[in-house]
mmCIF file of all heavy atoms in Angstrom:
data_model
loop_
_atom_site.group_PDB
_atom_site.id
_atom_site.type_symbol
_atom_site.label_atom_id
_atom_site.label_comp_id
_atom_site.label_asym_id
_atom_site.label_seq_id
_atom_site.Cartn_x
_atom_site.Cartn_y
_atom_site.Cartn_z
ATOM 1 N N ILE F 1224 -14.365 42.457 13.419
ATOM 2 C CA ILE F 1224 -14.606 41.316 12.528
ATOM 3 C C ILE F 1224 -14.415 41.727 11.066
ATOM 4 O O ILE F 1224 -13.765 41.021 10.292
ATOM 5 C CB ILE F 1224 -16.003 40.726 12.776
ATOM 6 C CG1 ILE F 1224 -16.060 40.106 14.182
ATOM 7 C CG2 ILE F 1224 -16.367 39.704 11.703
ATOM 8 C CD1 ILE F 1224 -17.442 39.774 14.684
ATOM 9 N N ALA F 1225 -14.944 42.875 10.698
ATOM 10 C CA ALA F 1225 -14.825 43.353 9.317
ATOM 11 C C ALA F 1225 -13.379 43.642 8.926
ATOM 12 O O ALA F 1225 -13.032 43.576 7.745
ATOM 13 C CB ALA F 1225 -15.681 44.603 9.128
ATOM 14 N N SER F 1226 -12.532 43.933 9.893
ATOM 15 C CA SER F 1226 -11.132 44.275 9.597
ATOM 16 C C SER F 1226 -10.215 43.063 9.474
ATOM 17 O O SER F 1226 -9.030 43.209 9.199
ATOM 18 C CB SER F 1226 -10.588 45.213 10.682
ATOM 19 O OG SER F 1226 -10.371 44.491 11.883
ATOM 20 N N LEU F 1227 -10.760 41.863 9.677
ATOM 21 C CA LEU F 1227 -9.960 40.636 9.632
ATOM 22 C C LEU F 1227 -10.418 39.791 8.439
ATOM 23 O O LEU F 1227 -11.226 38.868 8.595
ATOM 24 C CB LEU F 1227 -10.102 39.873 10.951
ATOM 25 C CG LEU F 1227 -9.799 40.677 12.224
ATOM 26 C CD1 LEU F 1227 -10.075 39.837 13.458
ATOM 27 C CD2 LEU F 1227 -8.378 41.194 12.206
ATOM 28 N N PRO F 1228 -9.901 40.069 7.253
ATOM 29 C CA PRO F 1228 -10.419 39.442 6.030
ATOM 30 C C PRO F 1228 -10.211 37.932 5.934
ATOM 31 O O PRO F 1228 -10.961 37.257 5.222
ATOM 32 C CB PRO F 1228 -9.662 40.163 4.913
ATOM 33 C CG PRO F 1228 -8.402 40.636 5.566
ATOM 34 C CD PRO F 1228 -8.790 40.975 6.983
ATOM 35 N N ASP F 1229 -9.221 37.379 6.622
ATOM 36 C CA ASP F 1229 -8.939 35.942 6.538
ATOM 37 C C ASP F 1229 -9.636 35.129 7.628
ATOM 38 O O ASP F 1229 -9.514 33.904 7.659
ATOM 39 C CB ASP F 1229 -7.429 35.692 6.618
ATOM 40 C CG ASP F 1229 -6.679 36.329 5.464
ATOM 41 O OD1 ASP F 1229 -7.261 36.438 4.369
ATOM 42 O OD2 ASP F 1229 -5.517 36.728 5.652
ATOM 43 N N LEU F 1230 -10.339 35.803 8.526
ATOM 44 C CA LEU F 1230 -10.938 35.136 9.680
ATOM 45 C C LEU F 1230 -12.002 34.122 9.265
ATOM 46 O O LEU F 1230 -12.894 34.427 8.476
ATOM 47 C CB LEU F 1230 -11.554 36.178 10.618
ATOM 48 C CG LEU F 1230 -11.951 35.676 12.006
ATOM 49 C CD1 LEU F 1230 -10.725 35.202 12.786
ATOM 50 C CD2 LEU F 1230 -12.669 36.772 12.779
ATOM 51 N N LYS F 1231 -11.866 32.902 9.808
ATOM 52 C CA LYS F 1231 -12.816 31.835 9.513
ATOM 53 C C LYS F 1231 -13.491 31.297 10.768
ATOM 54 O O LYS F 1231 -14.595 30.789 10.717
ATOM 55 C CB LYS F 1231 -12.092 30.687 8.815
ATOM 56 C CG LYS F 1231 -11.536 31.060 7.456
ATOM 57 C CD LYS F 1231 -10.547 30.015 6.985
ATOM 58 C CE LYS F 1231 -9.761 30.485 5.784
ATOM 59 N NZ LYS F 1231 -8.861 31.583 6.053
ATOM 60 N N LEU F 1232 -12.790 31.411 11.900
ATOM 61 C CA LEU F 1232 -13.288 30.859 13.152
ATOM 62 C C LEU F 1232 -12.972 31.832 14.284
ATOM 63 O O LEU F 1232 -11.838 32.284 14.418
ATOM 64 C CB LEU F 1232 -12.630 29.501 13.430
ATOM 65 C CG LEU F 1232 -12.959 28.808 14.751
ATOM 66 C CD1 LEU F 1232 -14.453 28.524 14.877
ATOM 67 C CD2 LEU F 1232 -12.151 27.513 14.870
ATOM 68 N N LEU F 1233 -13.975 32.132 15.084
ATOM 69 C CA LEU F 1233 -13.849 33.027 16.226
ATOM 70 C C LEU F 1233 -14.263 32.244 17.457
ATOM 71 O O LEU F 1233 -15.396 31.775 17.544
ATOM 72 C CB LEU F 1233 -14.744 34.245 16.011
ATOM 73 C CG LEU F 1233 -14.801 35.332 17.045
ATOM 74 C CD1 LEU F 1233 -13.420 35.833 17.421
ATOM 75 C CD2 LEU F 1233 -15.636 36.484 16.513
ATOM 76 N N ILE F 1234 -13.322 32.062 18.381
ATOM 77 C CA ILE F 1234 -13.573 31.249 19.565
ATOM 78 C C ILE F 1234 -13.557 32.136 20.808
ATOM 79 O O ILE F 1234 -12.595 32.856 21.044
ATOM 80 C CB ILE F 1234 -12.505 30.145 19.721
ATOM 81 C CG1 ILE F 1234 -12.430 29.298 18.457
ATOM 82 C CG2 ILE F 1234 -12.814 29.281 20.937
ATOM 83 C CD1 ILE F 1234 -11.242 28.357 18.432
ATOM 84 N N ALA F 1235 -14.614 32.050 21.595
ATOM 85 C CA ALA F 1235 -14.666 32.747 22.876
ATOM 86 C C ALA F 1235 -14.017 31.849 23.910
ATOM 87 O O ALA F 1235 -14.399 30.701 24.074
ATOM 88 C CB ALA F 1235 -16.099 33.046 23.262
ATOM 89 N N SER F 1236 -13.003 32.352 24.575
ATOM 90 C CA SER F 1236 -12.345 31.601 25.639
ATOM 91 C C SER F 1236 -13.167 31.775 26.904
ATOM 92 O O SER F 1236 -13.422 32.890 27.344
ATOM 93 C CB SER F 1236 -10.923 32.130 25.842
ATOM 94 O OG SER F 1236 -10.273 31.400 26.850
#
Side-chain angles (χ1 to χ4, degrees):
I1224 294 167
S1226 73
L1227 307 176
D1229 298 329
L1230 193 63
K1231 295 166 192 67
L1232 176 60
L1233 180 52
I1234 305 170
S1236 181

